[in-house]
Amino acid sequence: MPRRAMPEDGRPRPSTIRDVARHAGVSVATVSRILSGTYPSAPATRSKVMRAVRELDYVANAHARGLAGVRPKSVAIVVNSVISPHYAHVAQGVQDQAVREGRLCIVGTTGGDPERELATIQLMREEHAEAVILVGNIQADDAYRERMAEYARALALAGSQLVLCGRPPLGPDVPAIVVEYDNTGGAYAITSHLLSAGHKRILFLGRRDGYTTPESRIAGYRAALAAHRVPHDPGLEVEGTMERSEGYRMMGERLDARPRDFTAVFAGNDLIAAGARAALRERGLRIPDDVSLVGFDDLPPAADIDLTTVHVPHEELGRTAVRLALESETPGTVQHFLLGTHIIVRDSVRPLLHSPG
């Protein structure tokens, strides 16, 4: 077995392409061509080179390959978090479609920080990703939209494609593909489901002004109230983020602060619903006998707690984003696609036959 050179610090240095060429008895150019797959080679020569690569534990330098113009084809997905069920399922859809298309999938996380998101997009552009897919909720002010529009145009000039997945468009002249699901329509439908069951005092958990996803959902909630001629009470909207702990907090604080003034709860997502359910049960309130409860997303833990909710096609969202980006023959065009949502009826809503009290 060959021995690696030992620098002064006593640790073996990484093997280089020159080491591989020397060990295989071929030129550096031949090694480079065989590893990149860009040049035909005799089977015996290829066998010698690959044996040398294994024996020397050689790892190709990605930066050097990039300078030589040899890059694996890839798509990138940028999400707030990889532990959220929503983002994880969309990312799985992106990964599945990337594999079908023969692309690598690069995942970046931002923690919901717009500055980190913009920096991650810049990194993906430098890596020459064919598509950069941004997923989910963001606080989008004018400055953010302006900078994002600049990145979209820069990606288009580089032959790449910005895809906004589950987000609204940036503007009519911004080159991006928008793949959304019907947040507002789903919220309208689930609120109408409660109203049709006789509930008129519906508590909404998870209002968050300035954030795209909760704003779309509360718009559907308000529209359904208006369509059924039920007065809108701002006091029935509770502010909070979209985590289980927040559902528990919002519900607990509401019940502890005043007598219960609602018969049903629309949780902004299924995690909020799970937290709210725990707070209700701790206070001896049964679902659906005492309080009806609905959510949004149809992700864990919805089925486990028998929750009526809105189904979102998460994985299809990711697959569609990749497919449309790679099928686009003219990067830089504006395209908008809307996927449908629908209600999944389980056993968390009770018809209200008479007013409480």
Side-chain angles (χ1 to χ4, degrees), residues 238-257:
V238 183
E239 186 172 0
T241 58
M242 304 185 86
E243 288 88 33
R244 186 185 188 281
S245 59
E246 279 286 272
Y248 180 84
R249 176 193 67 78
M250 287 185 281
M251 180 57 73
E253 290 180 357
R254 177 78 183 203
L255 292 172
D256 293 343

Side-chain angles (χ1 to χ4, degrees), residues 83-312:
I83 61 174
S84 161
H86 165 67
Y87 295 120
H89 280 73
V90 176
Q92 187 61 53
V94 169
Q95 165 70 12
D96 290 347
Q97 191 65 31
V99 170
R100 293 179 190 176
E101 303 282 354
R103 267 65 171 186
L104 296 177
C105 181
I106 306 171
V107 180
T109 61
T110 67
D113 182 350
E115 292 300 321
R116 277 185 65 186
E117 181 176 88
L118 291 165
T120 304
I121 295 168
Q122 175 64 16
L123 174 63
M124 300 307 185
R125 185 170 73 89
E126 293 170 356
E127 291 296 319
H128 296 273
E130 293 178 85
V132 178
I133 301 167
L134 307 184
V135 183
N137 186 46
I138 194 70
Q139 186 176 24
D141 57 18
D142 290 341
Y144 169 86
R145 280 189 285 266
E146 184 177 341
R147 289 180 63 187
M148 187 61 72
E150 293 175 1
Y151 279 104
R153 295 184 182 102
L155 285 167
L157 288 173
S160 184
Q161 182 76 63
L162 180 67
V163 185
L164 304 175
C165 193
R167 295 190 184 188
L170 293 168
D173 300 322
V174 179
I177 293 174
V178 177
V179 184
E180 290 188 275
Y181 54 92
D182 195 359
N183 252 316
T184 302
Y188 181 97
I190 199 77
T191 306
S192 296
H193 181 71
L194 290 172
L195 291 164
S196 297
H199 297 277
K200 299 188 184 303
R201 299 287 295 175
I202 303 170
L203 186 69
F204 184 96
L205 298 181
R207 192 192 81 233
R208 203 173 185 203
D209 298 340
Y211 285 79
T212 53
T213 299
E215 279 196 339
S216 297
R217 293 180 184 178
I218 205 165
Y221 161 80
R222 292 170 179 170
L225 293 176
H228 286 76
R229 299 182 179 178
V230 173
H232 170 236
D233 181 357
L236 288 173
E237 298 175 0
V238 183
E239 186 172 0
T241 58
M242 304 185 86
E243 288 88 33
R244 186 185 188 281
S245 59
E246 279 286 272
Y248 180 84
R249 176 193 67 78
M250 287 185 281
M251 180 57 73
E253 290 180 357
R254 177 78 183 203
L255 292 172
D256 293 343
R258 66 181 78 176
R260 180 167 60 89
D261 59 350
F262 55 89
T263 63
V265 178
F266 178 3
N269 70 4
D270 296 340
L271 292 176
I272 293 176
R277 176 178 178 271
L280 286 163
R281 287 162 63 91
E282 280 185 5
R283 289 158 178 81
L285 295 170
R286 299 163 300 167
I287 298 167
D289 296 341
D290 300 314
V291 178
S292 291
L293 176 66
V294 300
F296 205 112
D297 281 339
D298 195 27
L299 288 172
D304 296 334
I305 61 175
D306 215 9
L307 181 69
T308 293
T309 188
V310 177
H311 177 79
V312 173

